[in-house]
Each structure stands twice: as structure tokens, then as C-alpha cells.
Amino acid sequence: VGYWVGPTIACANQKGGVGKTTTVVNLAAFLAIAGERVLVIDLDPQGNATSGLGLDRSSLEVSVYDGVIDGLGLEDVTVEGPLGIGVVPSAIALAGAEVELAPLEYRERRLARLIGAIAPRYDYILVDCPPSLGLLTVNALTAADSVLVPLQCEYYALEGLTQLLGTIDLIRDHLNPPLSLKGVVLTMYDGRTNLSAEVAAEVRRHLGDAVFDTVVPRN
């Protein structure tokens, strides 16, 4: 007895330009086309998921900032995007949120509390994280059931991944024990270069089944 609560998936990688937002936007679109009820939460101050879903940040009166910092319920800051996707948009004000969150009570759990109140309405909640391991990303990881990691096939990819996996372990130990690794998706793969093949092979050697079969090519 009870109701189904869809999974909350944080798309995270502290490196910028690895395909986090592109992954979230496309995954949300395909899930919506498949008939799933999807909510996208844009936690990145750059707001690319918001604009990628066709919304003009400058014309919106509410954003995720009002929820995380001011405690407004997510139902009050959600706008409708394409394909019926719910979008909690980013705001330029998020750029200062790390500093504003620092002195607040339950600073790591503010997003988790907000998501808990609306989770039964959605089949999937996708959180687009900023390119850092600061308090906004910590909020996403504390609120999520799992983490989806886009990984660019480039030099030092594993170095950054090791740091992220260490952060995930810390979140598990102190804030969110059930947090799991949904998987790693290799992005910007260039089949013409040895480097992409070598990085892909090395990641698979280290993480095995945690790496998705699907590889996203550079084009």
C-alpha cells in the first residue's frame, strides 16, 4: 500500500563542458515523450537547462533560488516547459547562493526537503548540477536517489571522476546513505582519435558495469 515515488537523479560532474545539461535536457525530453511525468531542476547559475528547455530566465518571476534560499515550495516555482516537462528554473541570483547557504540551518538538506513535498507528482526528477562540488551540488546529492555522471573522453577525465566519487562517498557517510551511482555515460567521444578509445577503455576497466553501453559521440 502507498504511492510510487519516482527517482530523483542528480546529473553531476565538477568539470564544466562535459555534457551535464545536454544529458538532462535530452533525457527529460525522451522520458516525457515516453509518457513519464518529468521535473527538471536547474541548479546551475548559468541556467543552460532553463534556456535549453525554451524558457527565458529574464521573464520569469520565480526560480529555484526562491525555493532553496527563501523556502518557497517547489510547486510555487515550477513552470511548464515543452512536452509538459515541469521546470524549476535557474536564476542569476544562484551565483551567490553558496555564500548565502553557508550560515543557514540544514544548509545541505534544503533541496531534499523541497523535493520530498512534491516527489509523488513525478515519475522522474532530474537535477542539473553546477560545475563544482560546492553546497548547491551537495544539496542535489543529498536530495537524490542516484547520480548520473557524464564523462568527457579527454585527458584527466578519471582524475576528476575520482574526486567526484570521493564526494559521493562522503555524502553517503554523512547525509544520504542510500545514494547510489546510477552510472557513468561517456560523452564527446571522437572515434577518429586514439585518446577517446583509450579513455573509454580505462574508465570501463576501473568502473566495469557502472559505465553505460551507450556512448555519446562528439557530433
Side-chain angles (χ1 to χ4, degrees):
V1 181
Y3 47 74
W4 158 253
V5 177
T8 297
I9 303 169
C11 191
N13 188 324
Q14 72 273 25
K15 287 192 172 187
V18 298
K20 287 188 294 294
T21 298
T22 303
T23 300
V24 166
V25 168
N26 283 277
L27 194 52
F30 277 96
L31 287 168
I33 289 167
E36 306 286 5
R37 300 168 302 164
V38 183
L39 178 68
V40 171
I41 300 175
D42 188 355
L43 263 192
D44 187 347
Q46 296 176 79
N48 292 332
T50 301
S51 55
L53 289 165
L55 301 172
D56 178 7
R57 282 203 299 177
S58 63
S59 68
L60 299 172
E61 295 180 1
V62 292
S63 72
V64 70
Y65 177 91
D66 301 297
V68 173
I69 301 297
D70 295 332
L72 211 59
L74 288 188
E75 68 275 11
D76 296 319
V77 297
T78 300
V79 296
E80 187 169 337
L83 303 171
I85 296 168
V87 184
V88 179
S90 171
I92 294 169
L94 267 186
E98 299 280 346
V99 175
E100 292 178 75
L101 277 169
L104 297 182
E105 195 175 12
Y106 304 113
R107 61 186 184 179
E108 300 94 351
R109 300 185 184 276
R110 295 181 76 85
L111 184 63
R113 290 180 163 197
L114 295 172
I115 287 177
I118 54 92
R121 302 180 191 181
Y122 297 98
D123 298 310
Y124 289 91
I125 298 174
L126 306 176
V127 186
D128 190 22
C129 296
S132 74
L133 294 177
L135 272 172
L136 286 173
T137 297
V138 168
N139 262 268
L141 297 178
T142 302
D145 300 300
S146 62
V147 191
L148 175 61
V149 183
L151 192 71
Q152 188 174 353
C153 296
E154 60 165 15
Y155 280 117
Y156 309 124
L158 269 176
E159 197 173 280
L161 182 62
T162 302
Q163 189 181 358
L164 176 60
L165 294 177
T167 298
I168 291 170
D169 284 340
L170 284 172
I171 299 289
R172 272 200 204 106
D173 291 344
H174 299 288
L175 295 164
N176 185 10
L179 181 66
S180 66
L181 178 64
K182 173 67 76 176
V184 173
V185 57
L186 296 169
T187 65
M188 303 187 190
Y189 183 89
D190 188 342
R192 299 167 301 177
T193 68
N194 289 333
L195 176 63
S196 279
E198 288 167 7
V199 170
E202 192 177 2
V203 173
R204 291 189 190 282
R205 191 162 58 247
H206 277 77
L207 292 173
D209 292 342
V211 185
F212 287 106
D213 292 339
T214 299
V215 173
V216 182
R218 181 169 286 282
N219 67 357

